[in-house]
Amino acid sequence: MNVTFCGHSKINQTAGFSKWLDMILPSLIEGGATTFYLGGYGAFDGLAAAAVRKQKETYPHIELILVLAYLNRDIDASRYDSTTYPPLETVPPRYAIVKRNEWMVSESSVVISGVTHSWGGAAKTLEFAQRKKKVIFQYPTQAGKE
């Protein structure tokens, strides 16, 4: 089972997100999740990658894959098991991240969401996941807190 993440590039609840990810990831892995797709941009992606790396200590068979939006950019992929590049060759660069995010959602059964407000790319990715009827684990937020 493939899992992907969507969340904002800037977040305020770092400790809360980390604790939440540490709670839900083991049950997903024990339920069959083996591949975790990450975009590698922003605070939420960093927290998610760190949480998956932590789970690899207990579940060494899981894979952490960095999904590239661009081929011509220098990205440090050393903390991932591998990288992949979706079929984005014909996508204009300004839409590459959006299309990469849609590809990650389409290729996954589960989406772990750290979306806390209704605007921006992460919110649009979550809306796409909802339209695709993916299983979504949403970080519990209280209205007006973010």
Side-chain angles (χ1 to χ4, degrees), residues 103-116:
W103 181 88
M104 291 192 311
V105 167
S106 295
E107 293 296 312
S108 298
S109 302
V110 174
V111 176
I112 298 175
S113 169
V115 174
T116 58

Side-chain angles (χ1 to χ4, degrees), residues 9-69:
S9 61
K10 295 178 183 170
I11 56 175
N12 295 328
Q13 304 168 2
T14 303
F17 277 125
S18 293
K19 201 181 251 186
W20 178 68
L21 290 169
D22 289 344
M23 286 182 354
I24 64 171
L25 286 174
S27 58
L28 281 171
I29 295 165
E30 290 171 10
T34 56
T35 304
F36 294 85
Y37 290 128
L38 284 132
Y41 292 116
F44 185 75
D45 280 355
L47 284 176
V52 174
R53 279 192 294 275
K54 183 176 175 183
Q55 294 303 317
K56 281 182 71 70
E57 295 170 11
T58 304
Y59 307 98
H61 67 282
I62 64 174
E63 278 189 289
L64 180 59
I65 299 176
L66 177 62
V67 183
L68 303 172

